[in-house]
Amino acid sequence: MNARPDPTLLPHTPVPALPMKGLIAVIAPAGPAALDTKKAIAWMRARGYSLRIFPGVFEKDGYLAGSDEVRLNDLHAAFTDPEVDAIICLRGGYGTPRLLDRIDFPLLRQNAKPFIGYSDITALHLAISRYAGFVTFHGPLLNADLLGERLPPTESSFFNMLRGQYRAGMVLAHPVGRPLTTIVPGVAHGRLLGGNLSMIAATMGTPYEIDAAGVILFIEDINEPLYRIDRLLTHLRLAGVLHKLRGVLVGDIAGVEAQALDRLLRQTLEPLCIPVLAGWRSGHCNPNLTLPMGALVKLDAGSQQLFLEQNVVRR
């Protein structure tokens, strides 16, 4: 009798690759930001792409980029627009959790395409992974990163991932001169999922919390002092999340002293006896590398490498 497949190792659906001369939608599902439209269009045009900017990008409702209705409509419209090849978020901030219980996930799944963002956008990555089942991308925001003159690996990682230049079996490149730290050596196979640590914790106890079984957890954060990072990790431990994991990839924890963070990570994660690698340059950092959320990967913490174990886009 054949063994049943491990459901935690079934691949998420790859999305269509970003074609050359494609159309990229810009939406603002979280906070507002002033977009220099001419600069954005020129930047993309220089790289062979055109932009379609959705209405909420130009709105502001306090700390939100437009009302919930506007932001939700833009999200749905960008996915269903047949001319749009990929969707990038304007910025993070706050606002995506307000949309989660109103998103039409079957609609998104039927119109799956590359969706890119980080920070507050983490809530959308988690929800899409759980309820739509296709790969999304923890990667640069339009304003802060692509138009913000980040170091070249930010742009090359973004385009290489979306165009399909990273394939199953390949190592995801990490910049030379940006040291990684092995917290716990070992090799783990699992689904890469996570993002902003504060947002991961904020969704616990909701239908959109991380489904941690078989996951290699990626975490990053900014403007959180060490004791709050401790509180967030403790929250995940007490909620039973950490003990379900197969490995942990720690991104940039901006603003926390490196030695103190290393000590906290060892205190919290060593008892799990799973591979843990820290220092990956993704998140609120420069450069900001693109990672495929929901994709099957292999983490080799000892050799400090991350391998793709499935194609994340189809060409």
Side-chain angles (χ1 to χ4, degrees):
M1 180 180 293
N2 293 329
R4 291 183 178 178
D6 182 346
T8 63
L9 290 179
L10 295 176
H12 269 23
T13 304
V15 292
L18 175 65
M20 297 302 295
K21 300 183 180 179
L23 176 65
I24 299 176
V26 184
I27 64 171
L35 176 64
D36 186 333
T37 304
K38 289 183 179 180
K39 179 180 179 181
I41 292 172
W43 192 94
M44 282 294 181
R45 183 176 294 152
R47 289 148 181 86
Y49 295 96
S50 55
L51 286 182
R52 178 161 295 166
I53 303 173
F54 280 72
V57 169
F58 302 109
E59 296 200 18
K60 185 177 186 296
D61 185 1
Y63 46 77
L64 301 172
S67 67
D68 291 348
E69 289 73 19
V70 166
R71 291 179 292 112
L72 181 68
N73 288 342
D74 281 359
L75 178 69
H76 286 154
F79 270 100
T80 57
D81 188 329
E83 295 183 347
V84 167
D85 297 301
I87 304 166
I88 190 168
C89 296
L90 177 68
R91 63 158 291 182
Y94 174 74
T96 59
R98 295 169 58 126
L99 306 180
L100 296 183
D101 59 347
R102 301 168 61 188
I103 293 174
D104 186 338
F105 291 104
L107 182 79
L108 268 56
R109 181 173 177 80
Q110 292 164 13
N111 298 277
K113 60 189 66 173
F115 175 78
I116 310 102
Y118 69 100
S119 193
D120 192 71
I121 310 304
T122 294
L124 293 174
H125 290 309
L126 296 176
I128 290 172
S129 174
R130 186 157 196 160
Y131 293 108
F134 60 85
V135 174
T136 60
F137 299 92
H138 185 281
L141 299 165
L142 181 62
N143 245 27
D145 297 280
L146 296 185
L147 302 182
E149 299 181 356
R150 293 284 192 254
L151 291 172
T154 300
E155 180 182 335
S156 61
S157 173
F158 170 77
F159 283 118
N160 288 344
M161 187 72 71
L162 269 60
R163 290 170 179 161
Q165 290 168 260
Y166 284 116
R167 308 290 289 172
M170 294 181 66
V171 178
L172 295 185
H174 194 266
V176 175
R178 301 284 178 168
L180 296 164
T181 301
T182 299
I183 304 296
V184 182
V187 177
H189 302 262
R191 191 180 308 287
L192 184 65
L193 200 58
N196 182 258
L197 179 58
S198 297
M199 187 57 61
I200 295 168
T203 56
M204 293 306 301
T206 77
Y208 310 97
E209 68 184 15
I210 189 168
D211 184 1
V215 160
I216 293 174
L217 179 68
F218 169 71
I219 55 173
E220 66 85 37
D221 220 315
I222 186 172
N223 294 333
E224 298 287 357
L226 185 67
Y227 78 88
R228 289 187 183 170
I229 299 298
D230 187 346
R231 178 190 294 161
L232 293 166
L233 290 172
T234 300
H235 184 179
L236 297 186
R237 178 176 65 83
L238 295 176
V241 170
L242 299 186
H243 291 88
K244 297 177 183 178
L245 301 175
R246 295 188 178 176
V248 180
L249 179 66
V250 182
D252 190 63
I253 310 291
V256 175
E257 194 272 324
Q259 187 172 356
L261 177 63
D262 182 88
R263 181 171 181 268
L264 173 61
L265 293 175
R266 292 181 187 279
Q267 286 177 334
T268 306
L269 301 176
E270 279 184 343
L272 302 176
C273 299
I274 58 175
V276 181
L277 180 64
W280 196 269
R281 300 300 291 175
S282 292
H284 296 81
C285 54
N286 187 14
N288 177 10
L289 305 180
T290 299
L291 287 170
M293 296 290 98
L296 298 180
V297 300
K298 179 177 78 171
L299 174 65
D300 188 333
S303 69
Q304 301 185 340
Q305 291 181 306
L306 184 66
F307 299 79
L308 272 184
E309 293 205 314
Q310 71 165 93
N311 293 332
V312 296
V313 301
R314 58 181 187 274
R315 292 187 288 185

